[in-house]
Amino acid sequence: CFGNLPGLNNATYINRFLKKNGFRDISILADSQATRQGILKAANDLTEKTNRGDIVVIEFCCHGVLLDSTKGDDTIGYDEGLAAWGSCMCTNGSCNGYDKFLSHGDINDIRKKLRKQIGRDGDLLFLFDACHSGGLTKDLDNADSSFSHYAAISACYSSEEDEQYLH
């Protein structure tokens, strides 16, 4: 199972960069705070205090994983996910703790709520410092076309040969 996930140093660097550039309200979830439920709650809290026209930056520094799509909502054989604290890898077809991973569906839900809250004049940036993170944004282009603009920077795609999700 995943505990004490990597990336805290990267999050600290991003935190410092954002502060130098005028961002005031910055939160970092680390280790046992970074469970799936903790992340989803933090995203909801962020949405509630976000205003129209705000600039929102969300960074994920963690392990990226490919999950069995029979347990998720993907049709290409796997579901990209992020390993939240306490999630466990799938072995021999059994996914113990699948509900503890963040899926691309979770990311899309977060994006939709924030996009609606910040409106057309707001900006939303996702930074994914995780393997297999390129596919996390694949649903974003087809969803909610009136507010579909966003930026997502990911560490790598699920398959380097698969250019299906390049933006």
Side-chain angles (χ1 to χ4, degrees):
C1 294
F2 293 103
N4 297 332
L5 298 173
L8 188 54
N9 286 339
N10 293 356
T12 302
Y13 296 136
I14 293 292
N15 179 28
R16 190 176 315 137
F17 173 83
L18 292 173
K19 283 183 178 179
K20 283 184 180 179
N21 287 281
F23 284 78
R24 297 178 311 275
D25 191 0
I26 299 173
S27 299
I28 295 177
L29 301 181
D31 300 330
S32 63
Q33 297 173 316
T35 63
R36 179 177 182 270
Q37 290 305 316
I39 293 167
L40 294 176
K41 181 182 181 327
N44 282 331
D45 292 348
L46 174 62
T47 301
E48 288 178 13
K49 63 184 175 182
T50 300
N51 298 305
R52 287 209 160 316
D54 281 353
I55 299 171
V56 178
V57 178
I58 298 177
E59 181 189 28
F60 293 96
C61 295
C62 58
H63 292 295
V65 295
L66 297 176
L67 303 169
D68 179 359
S69 68
T70 61
K71 307 253 193 288
D73 60 357
D74 207 304
T75 59
I76 58 173
Y78 55 84
D79 192 12
E80 295 85 0
L82 297 173
W85 193 87
S87 56
C88 299
M89 286 302 298
C90 303
T91 56
N92 299 326
S94 173
C95 233
N96 183 15
Y98 181 88
D99 59 338
K100 295 180 181 179
F101 289 96
L102 273 148
S103 72
H104 72 271
D106 293 324
I107 301 301
N108 192 32
D109 289 344
I110 291 168
R111 186 215 50 97
K112 280 196 236 180
K113 290 175 186 175
L114 281 167
R115 183 80 260 159
K116 183 177 179 181
Q117 189 71 10
I118 64 177
R120 293 181 188 272
D121 295 329
D123 289 310
L124 178 57
L125 173 64
F126 285 101
L127 300 171
F128 299 106
D129 186 358
C131 290
H132 310 297
S133 56
L136 287 168
T137 61
K138 65 182 169 236
D139 291 339
L140 302 185
D141 285 336
N142 300 324
D144 195 13
S145 62
S146 63
F147 292 112
S148 63
H149 63 281
Y150 68 95
I153 301 170
S154 61
C156 65
Y157 283 84
S158 300
S159 168
E160 292 301 323
E161 288 86 38
D162 187 357
E163 296 185 16
Q164 179 177 356
Y165 304 118
L166 294 177
H167 297 280

